[in-house]
Amino acid sequence: MDRLVNTVRPYAWGSTTAIPELLGIAPSGEPQAEMWMGAHPGAPSRTERGSLNELIDADPVRELGQRSVDKFGPRLPFLLKVLAAGAPLSLQVHPDLAQARAGHAAEEAAGVPVDAPHRTYKDANHKPELICALTPFDGLCGFRAPAEAADLIAALGVDSLKPYVDLLHAHPEEAALREVLTALLTADPDEMAHTVAEATAAADRLGGAHAPYASLAHHYPSDPGVIAAMLLNRVRLQPGEALYLGAGVPHAYLDGLGVEIMANSDNVLRCGLTPKHIDVPELLRVVRFEPVDPTVLRPEASPAGEEVYDTPIDEFRLSRFVRAEGAAPTDLTSSTPQILLSVAGRPTAGQVALAPGDSVFVPAGERVELSGTGTVFRATVVA
């Protein structure tokens, strides 16, 4: 078992206080957005034996187990994070596996450097993800019914938005959503800046259901993503609740602290609320233009006390243990690799005491018992 030393990414949208409070350290005053746990080459966790990706590269079967290697290849299939949103993240989607492979191959063939600002596909993998709230968590997920979006936008009373309202009343709904998003992202920037300014003033005045979009506009003035965000469902999670995000589903996290797990990928296609590159043609190819009713996931408890968040993919499996004082130890020995993350109390994994924010990597087949009091998230795979 290896105690992990993890990198905290200082993205501008990060909270300055949430991750330091979890770790019990003084804030630095700088944004601290994501703490990465895993073997992603961008910021691999470190151990006393070396970086986690180096350990896995040296002996993948020993670290990951034969079943995981056979199914996913010689790399850790997931990336675990603590995510702390102090400001809205970009409005974005992720590709499915076929799209990621094709897009990555095309950019490789074209000689686009992997670190180029206009590069879309950093790797050839998909990026389904799950966010589980540690605090009340606010986000946007999936298209709402176009008629509902039309009503929300129409209430602003902005003349330049009326054509979008009319389009949203058209049928079929999928075509209406596609046409509106396309029009927003290809509109004249100066005209759109004026429209967003008018919409912001109206949203400030109206408040209520419009308040989140006014807040977005103050973070991203002139950005067409402010209007695009009104096409999406607003979702508010309570601690312990989670949201699964599959390929092609537009989403944005707005505020809150959570545990996030995803397939080991960095492929993001942005569609607003960002100064970064937006590849409109590729985005429109990847987005799934269908209204959805986001499903809030609550964990399913097992007799052993493990609470599992059920998802339809195998690259990751997230669960948690909420251990009361005096609870019997739980055997977590598994034939697949695991990362254990403590978020409350001071439980013990094997002989390693875990304060909030501490994590360990457990190689496949290594015996480990969880004991003590507190809350621990367990990340592994289905193999």
Side-chain angles (χ1 to χ4, degrees):
M1 186 188 311
D2 298 278
R3 183 184 288 275
L4 299 179
V5 178
N6 305 305
T7 297
V8 176
R9 308 288 262 191
Y11 304 138
W13 50 261
S15 167
T16 58
T17 59
I19 288 179
E21 285 177 2
L22 175 68
L23 299 177
I25 61 175
S28 67
E30 299 297 319
Q32 299 190 35
E34 295 180 348
M35 184 172 74
W36 287 24
M37 291 155 281
H40 192 284
S45 298
R46 303 177 301 282
T47 77
E48 290 185 352
R49 296 190 289 151
S51 69
L52 190 54
N53 54 346
E54 291 172 343
L55 301 185
I56 291 170
D57 288 345
D59 195 343
V61 172
R62 178 189 173 210
E63 304 295 338
L64 304 177
Q66 190 67 59
R67 289 166 56 192
S68 182
V69 172
D70 288 345
K71 189 167 185 176
F72 304 111
R75 67 174 193 160
L76 189 66
F78 62 83
L79 176 63
L80 185 66
K81 300 179 181 180
V82 173
L83 182 147
L89 282 67
S90 61
L91 193 59
Q92 60 189 257
V93 296
H94 306 302
D96 63 27
L97 189 55
Q99 290 164 339
R101 288 173 174 170
H104 182 261
E107 289 187 315
E108 288 288 287
V112 181
V114 72
D115 58 351
H118 61 287
R119 175 90 183 215
T120 298
Y121 292 97
K122 308 293 186 183
D123 52 68
N125 201 16
H126 63 166
K127 193 187 176 188
E129 60 189 38
L130 177 81
I131 183 77
C132 178
L134 294 178
T135 67
F137 197 94
D138 203 3
L140 304 170
C141 178
F143 288 110
R144 64 172 87 217
E148 294 178 10
D151 290 343
L152 190 67
I153 295 171
L156 295 170
V158 176
D159 287 344
S160 54
L161 289 176
K162 289 180 180 177
Y164 302 110
V165 173
D166 292 340
L167 285 172
L168 288 167
H169 285 300
H171 290 280
E173 290 185 327
E174 291 80 1
L177 291 168
R178 176 183 289 275
E179 194 164 349
V180 170
L181 185 61
T182 302
L184 288 170
L185 297 180
T186 57
D188 177 86
D190 292 333
E191 292 180 4
M192 181 53 63
H194 181 71
T195 295
V196 172
E198 284 193 85
T200 303
D204 274 330
R205 184 179 66 254
L206 291 168
H210 292 86
Y213 310 101
S215 177
L216 287 179
H218 291 303
H219 285 287
Y220 299 100
S222 306
D223 195 310
V226 173
I227 309 301
M230 300 180 76
L231 303 175
L232 306 187
N233 299 288
R234 187 180 178 198
V235 181
R236 281 165 282 189
L237 303 176
Q238 295 305 309
E241 295 180 336
L243 192 64
Y244 172 74
L245 299 156
V249 177
H251 61 278
Y253 301 146
L254 305 181
D255 183 72
L257 180 70
V259 173
E260 186 182 36
I261 190 168
M262 62 198 64
N264 196 359
S265 172
D266 200 24
N267 284 326
V268 177
L269 289 93
R270 296 173 178 85
C271 44
L273 309 180
T274 179
K276 295 183 179 180
H277 174 65
I278 297 177
D279 184 343
V280 175
E282 186 65 12
L283 172 73
L284 296 175
R285 192 176 73 86
V286 168
V287 170
R288 294 183 178 175
F289 289 96
E290 54 189 26
V292 299
D293 185 11
T295 300
V296 173
L297 298 178
R298 296 172 181 84
E300 300 177 7
S302 73
E306 183 176 24
E307 301 177 345
V308 180
Y309 294 91
D310 187 37
T311 61
I313 55 98
D314 292 343
E315 281 92 339
F316 61 76
R317 176 183 181 273
L318 186 70
S319 61
R320 69 174 185 173
F321 295 85
V322 182
R323 296 184 52 82
E325 187 173 352
T330 303
D331 185 0
L332 300 187
T333 307
S334 172
S335 61
T336 56
Q338 306 177 70
I339 291 178
L340 305 179
L341 165 68
S342 171
V343 297
R346 199 168 181 87
T348 299
Q351 302 301 312
V352 181
L354 301 175
D358 285 348
S359 57
V360 293
F361 174 74
V362 185
E366 182 166 322
R367 178 169 174 76
V368 58
E369 277 193 342
L370 185 63
S371 59
T373 305
T375 301
V376 173
F377 281 86
R378 180 193 201 188
T380 186
V381 302
V382 180

